[in-house]
Amino acid sequence: MANPRQRNKAKSSRTQKPSLNAKRRMHQKLRKAPPLKGPEVLQEKWDKKKTVFQNYAALGLLPSIPVSKGASTSRSQRVKLPEVPAEAEAQNVKVGFGRIIRDEEGNVIDIIIDEDEEKQEEEQIEVDEEKELEPVEAKTEVVKRLEELAASAAPVKRHSSMSERTWLQQLVDKYGDDTERMARDRKLNVWQKTEGEIKRMIKKAGGVQMLRK
């Protein structure tokens, strides 16, 4: 006959709780930063004790875009960013948006809305077309090495699977280059691919001429 104390002990949830060492190991795993996935250049220079924002600032990967005064104080204290003056902020109002002017107490005094939005948009497009983006010099060694990696990168060639190629050959044999009729064929187009998807698949397979061989 079983001892009542042993029976109660088996039913108790205390025996199912993890030990102190197990809890400590779990907390260490939670505190451990996830591994950085990226080029070796970033992995070597990445500081695990810093935040992502601080690492980007130290490596010179932050964009040189002025941040308005309304930015969070926590980030502005850690990393100093250029501030936008009030006059420049008033001039750079986006098309389709307005600017609310408030007094010192926060009350709305005026709302500025540009009426000539279409003219501004056309002028902005013309200015953007005339402007030529000048290459920006890399400020840090990390950025230089990343630019070298990006310049030497080659596009990855995609290949069609055998089943996909066989299916495309059946469509091409029946319809030629008429992708619209291919998409409407209920019997052959069992996966209900759209016309655009079929075009991309044929292009990936090498074109209609390659599929006819």
Side-chain angles (χ1 to χ4, degrees), residues 173-207:
D173 291 341
K174 188 173 181 180
Y175 298 109
D177 57 353
D178 193 350
T179 52
E180 185 179 353
R181 292 177 64 192
M182 293 178 190
R184 288 186 297 182
D185 192 331
R186 295 182 180 180
K187 291 183 179 179
L188 280 179
N189 189 11
V190 290
W191 294 291
Q192 297 181 358
K193 297 290 184 181
T194 62
E195 184 182 354
E197 288 175 333
I198 293 172
K199 281 182 180 178
R200 288 191 290 272
M201 292 169 77
I202 291 173
K203 185 179 179 181
K204 187 173 72 172

Side-chain angles (χ1 to χ4, degrees), residues 157-169 172 197-213:
K157 291 184 179 180
R158 305 292 180 185
H159 300 282
S160 303
S161 62
M162 290 298 296
S163 58
E164 183 180 320
R165 193 176 183 84
T166 306
W167 175 67
L168 290 172
Q169 283 175 346
V172 170
E197 288 175 333
I198 293 172
K199 281 182 180 178
R200 288 191 290 272
M201 292 169 77
I202 291 173
K203 185 179 179 181
K204 187 173 72 172
V208 177
Q209 299 298 329
M210 290 291 293
L211 291 169
R212 281 176 178 167
K213 293 180 180 180

Side-chain angles (χ1 to χ4, degrees), residues 3-15:
N3 191 335
R5 284 192 303 173
Q6 297 295 333
R7 192 180 297 164
N8 293 334
K9 191 176 179 181
K11 291 179 181 178
S12 176
S13 60
R14 292 179 183 177
T15 55

Side-chain angles (χ1 to χ4, degrees), residues 6-207:
Q6 297 295 333
R7 192 180 297 164
N8 293 334
K9 191 176 179 181
K11 291 179 181 178
S12 176
S13 60
R14 292 179 183 177
T15 55
Q16 298 175 2
K17 290 183 179 179
S19 63
L20 291 174
N21 290 332
K23 284 182 179 179
R24 194 177 293 112
R25 283 195 296 271
M26 283 192 294
H27 287 305
Q28 285 176 355
K29 286 181 181 179
L30 290 173
R31 284 197 298 268
K32 188 177 179 182
L36 178 67
K37 295 182 179 179
E40 293 182 1
V41 186
L42 285 179
Q43 292 180 5
E44 292 172 1
K45 301 293 182 180
W46 194 266
D47 190 354
K48 294 181 180 179
K49 294 181 180 179
K50 293 182 180 180
T51 62
V52 177
F53 191 82
Q54 288 173 334
N55 272 301
Y56 270 57
L59 298 173
L61 297 173
L62 281 180
S64 57
I65 301 173
V67 179
S68 60
K69 291 182 179 179
S72 61
T73 55
S74 58
R75 282 190 176 181
S76 59
Q77 288 174 0
R78 286 178 281 177
V79 180
K80 292 184 179 180
L81 296 172
E83 294 183 351
V84 180
E87 297 176 357
E89 195 173 359
Q91 293 174 0
N92 297 330
V93 179
K94 292 183 179 179
V95 177
F97 291 84
R99 182 170 177 269
I100 299 172
I101 300 174
R102 300 177 183 270
D103 57 8
E104 295 178 356
E105 297 178 356
N107 300 320
V108 178
I109 301 173
D110 192 9
I111 299 174
I112 300 173
I113 299 174
D114 197 350
E115 297 177 355
D116 302 330
E117 292 180 359
E118 294 181 359
K119 290 182 180 179
Q120 278 191 0
E121 192 172 357
E122 290 175 0
E123 291 175 0
Q124 187 65 31
I125 291 169
E126 291 176 1
V127 170
D128 292 340
E129 289 177 354
E130 291 176 359
K131 281 184 179 179
E132 293 183 0
L133 296 175
E134 298 179 358
V136 181
E137 293 184 4
K139 295 181 180 179
T140 60
E141 188 65 27
V142 177
V143 178
K144 288 180 182 177
R145 291 174 65 183
L146 287 173
E147 287 179 353
E148 290 173 2
L149 282 173
S152 61
V156 180
K157 291 184 179 180
R158 305 292 180 185
H159 300 282
S160 303
S161 62
M162 290 298 296
S163 58
E164 183 180 320
R165 193 176 183 84
T166 306
W167 175 67
L168 290 172
Q169 283 175 346
Q170 292 174 358
L171 289 173
V172 170
D173 291 341
K174 188 173 181 180
Y175 298 109
D177 57 353
D178 193 350
T179 52
E180 185 179 353
R181 292 177 64 192
M182 293 178 190
R184 288 186 297 182
D185 192 331
R186 295 182 180 180
K187 291 183 179 179
L188 280 179
N189 189 11
V190 290
W191 294 291
Q192 297 181 358
K193 297 290 184 181
T194 62
E195 184 182 354
E197 288 175 333
I198 293 172
K199 281 182 180 178
R200 288 191 290 272
M201 292 169 77
I202 291 173
K203 185 179 179 181
K204 187 173 72 172

